[in-house]
Amino acid sequence: MKEIGIVIPVRKGGNPRTTLESLARQTLQSFDVIVSWDRKWNANWARNKGFWMVENPFVLFSDDDIAWEPGALETLHQALLEHPEASYSYGGYFMPGIGEQCNAAFDAGLLRKRNLASTMSLIRTSDFIGFDESIQRGQDWDMWLGMLALGKIGVYCGRRIFTTEKRDGITYGSGVSWETATRAVRLKHGLV
């Protein structure tokens, strides 16, 4: 059995070429790829649907336009092997016009104030709690807070793991402002 199941949600008109090409260059090649087509619902629905096909010990959710650094999977995997207390490992990423993101060490108190990890994080399959399909933006922060409430923590792998362009998608094309999205997540988790 391969170590990682990679779920790539793709909406109509999307193309996972960027992601697949960068995955082909990974130093760790012990993974299966599951492309989950978002035919009528949303990316969270497609992620959850794809997850049900994962039989690997670890799951990674990757948007279809992520340019993974060549050692990203190996770094994320090694971080979880070295930290058995952690349920997920995450790394930083770069987005032109936005800059470096998600490059802080895990801290539960800080996580309650702001998101620390992107959706593109490696999760122990047995600890995955699912994405809330009603969340239109901030789905990753919502899930990490849900896992934290169950005592499940993350670990920062210590480096940038991918780059991506600012694009029309769940983060910037949902029609929901960042303020509205964070307020909804805070309210759901009693952080208001």
Side-chain angles (χ1 to χ4, degrees), residues 56-111:
N56 316 76
F58 302 96
V59 61
L60 177 78
F61 296 92
S62 177
D63 290 353
D64 65 0
D65 59 353
I66 299 299
W68 290 96
E69 298 285 331
L73 296 187
E74 186 171 9
T75 301
L76 291 169
H77 184 252
Q78 190 62 38
L80 283 180
L81 294 180
E82 292 174 3
H83 294 275
E85 75 284 3
S87 294
Y88 61 96
S89 62
Y90 64 95
Y93 69 92
F94 179 78
M95 183 182 289
I98 303 294
E100 294 286 341
Q101 300 291 312
C102 297
N103 56 0
F106 182 83
D107 177 277
L110 188 56
L111 180 62

Side-chain angles (χ1 to χ4, degrees), residues 13-190:
N15 185 332
R17 172 174 278 167
T18 299
T19 296
L20 293 173
E21 287 176 350
S22 65
L23 288 174
R25 294 188 296 271
Q26 290 299 300
T27 55
L28 174 66
Q29 285 290 309
S30 182
F31 61 82
D32 297 310
V33 173
I34 299 161
V35 174
S36 182
W37 293 95
D38 170 15
R39 300 199 184 278
K40 56 184 177 178
W41 301 107
N42 62 34
N44 289 335
W45 175 86
R47 290 179 183 112
N48 288 336
K49 179 179 171 252
F51 174 75
W52 293 113
M53 293 182 252
V54 173
E55 297 177 347
N56 316 76
F58 302 96
V59 61
L60 177 78
F61 296 92
S62 177
D63 290 353
D64 65 0
D65 59 353
I66 299 299
W68 290 96
E69 298 285 331
L73 296 187
E74 186 171 9
T75 301
L76 291 169
H77 184 252
Q78 190 62 38
L80 283 180
L81 294 180
E82 292 174 3
H83 294 275
E85 75 284 3
S87 294
Y88 61 96
S89 62
Y90 64 95
Y93 69 92
F94 179 78
M95 183 182 289
I98 303 294
E100 294 286 341
Q101 300 291 312
C102 297
N103 56 0
F106 182 83
D107 177 277
L110 188 56
L111 180 62
R112 289 183 182 96
K113 294 177 183 174
R114 67 177 176 88
N115 192 12
L116 297 177
S118 78
T119 303
M120 277 55 73
S121 299
L122 186 65
I123 307 167
R124 294 184 196 279
T125 301
S126 59
D127 290 342
F128 177 64
I129 63 170
F131 289 98
D132 182 338
E133 295 172 22
S134 70
I135 297 289
Q136 296 179 34
R137 189 172 180 186
Q139 76 285 348
D140 39 19
W141 189 33
D142 171 64
M143 185 173 65
W144 307 138
L145 288 169
M147 291 176 74
L148 185 62
L150 298 172
K152 300 177 188 305
I153 63 169
V155 62
Y156 174 55
C157 75
R159 62 175 281 237
R160 180 194 296 177
I161 55 171
F162 69 89
T163 59
T164 187
E165 297 295 322
K166 186 175 177 182
R167 76 252 183 237
D168 185 24
I170 191 170
T171 300
Y172 292 102
S174 68
V176 175
S177 73
W178 181 243
E179 293 76 21
T180 299
T182 55
R183 189 169 40 251
V185 171
R186 287 180 190 283
L187 184 62
K188 176 180 173 182
H189 294 278

